Amino acid sequence: MNSTLAMWRKSLTQLIKMEDRKEWNALDFLSKWFIATRSAVGTITLYSGLIGGLLAWQHLFRQAKSFDFLTWVILTLGLFIAHGTNNLINDYTDFVRGIDKDNYFRTQYGFTRWHRASGIDALT
């Protein structure tokens, strides 16, 4: 059980590369789900939900209206699920088109990939 909790914690905080199929098959369902949906980057989505909720609360507070906490939780959870679903669809599409070959693994997102491709690395 401790190894399962450790894997959950690891998969929620960092991107994990599986080296072989045996290692993948040994994981429990939730660990596989967290890794496949790249839940480690899901915190970005949760932050945007939090910021949106704070902005909505401030707006409603100024108008003397109440903030519906349950609606905010449901919408933020929906955003998180949509982000994970998008990651799964993206991986599936890459697989079908043949982009994911030879155990391809991408760990670099956004700015990191862009600035390396543009040569900014040489400046730093």
Side-chain angles (χ1 to χ4, degrees), residues 48-101:
S48 53
L50 175 65
I51 292 168
L54 290 172
L55 291 171
W57 174 77
Q58 179 186 18
H59 177 74
L60 292 170
F61 181 77
R62 287 183 179 172
Q63 294 182 352
K65 295 182 180 178
S66 64
F67 178 78
D68 188 352
F69 184 75
L70 180 62
T71 300
W72 171 75
V73 168
I74 291 169
L75 288 172
T76 302
L77 182 63
L79 220 83
F80 183 75
I81 291 169
H83 186 177
T85 302
N86 182 61
N87 287 337
L88 290 172
I89 292 170
N90 182 22
D91 286 345
Y92 175 74
T93 303
D94 288 351
F95 172 75
V96 169
R97 291 183 178 178
I99 296 170
D100 289 343
K101 291 182 181 177

Side-chain angles (χ1 to χ4, degrees), residues 4-123:
T4 301
L5 292 175
M7 180 52 81
W8 291 355
R9 184 173 36 254
K10 184 178 179 181
S11 62
L12 288 170
T13 57
Q14 59 185 301
L15 296 173
I16 298 173
K17 181 178 182 180
M18 294 277 107
E19 295 296 334
D20 61 19
R21 187 117 176 116
K22 288 180 187 177
E23 188 179 9
W24 176 259
N25 289 338
L27 295 174
D28 65 295
F29 176 78
L30 278 178
S31 294
K32 289 178 182 179
W33 182 257
F34 293 150
I35 293 168
T37 59
R38 295 191 293 269
S39 292
V41 295
T43 53
I44 297 167
T45 305
L46 295 177
Y47 289 147
S48 53
L50 175 65
I51 292 168
L54 290 172
L55 291 171
W57 174 77
Q58 179 186 18
H59 177 74
L60 292 170
F61 181 77
R62 287 183 179 172
Q63 294 182 352
K65 295 182 180 178
S66 64
F67 178 78
D68 188 352
F69 184 75
L70 180 62
T71 300
W72 171 75
V73 168
I74 291 169
L75 288 172
T76 302
L77 182 63
L79 220 83
F80 183 75
I81 291 169
H83 186 177
T85 302
N86 182 61
N87 287 337
L88 290 172
I89 292 170
N90 182 22
D91 286 345
Y92 175 74
T93 303
D94 288 351
F95 172 75
V96 169
R97 291 183 178 178
I99 296 170
D100 289 343
K101 291 182 181 177
D102 301 324
N103 202 16
Y104 170 77
F105 182 73
R106 114 189 103 230
T107 60
Q108 300 167 357
Y109 292 92
F111 180 76
T112 305
R113 179 182 285 175
W114 171 82
H115 89 282
R116 285 188 179 157
S118 65
I120 291 179
D121 254 356
L123 302 175

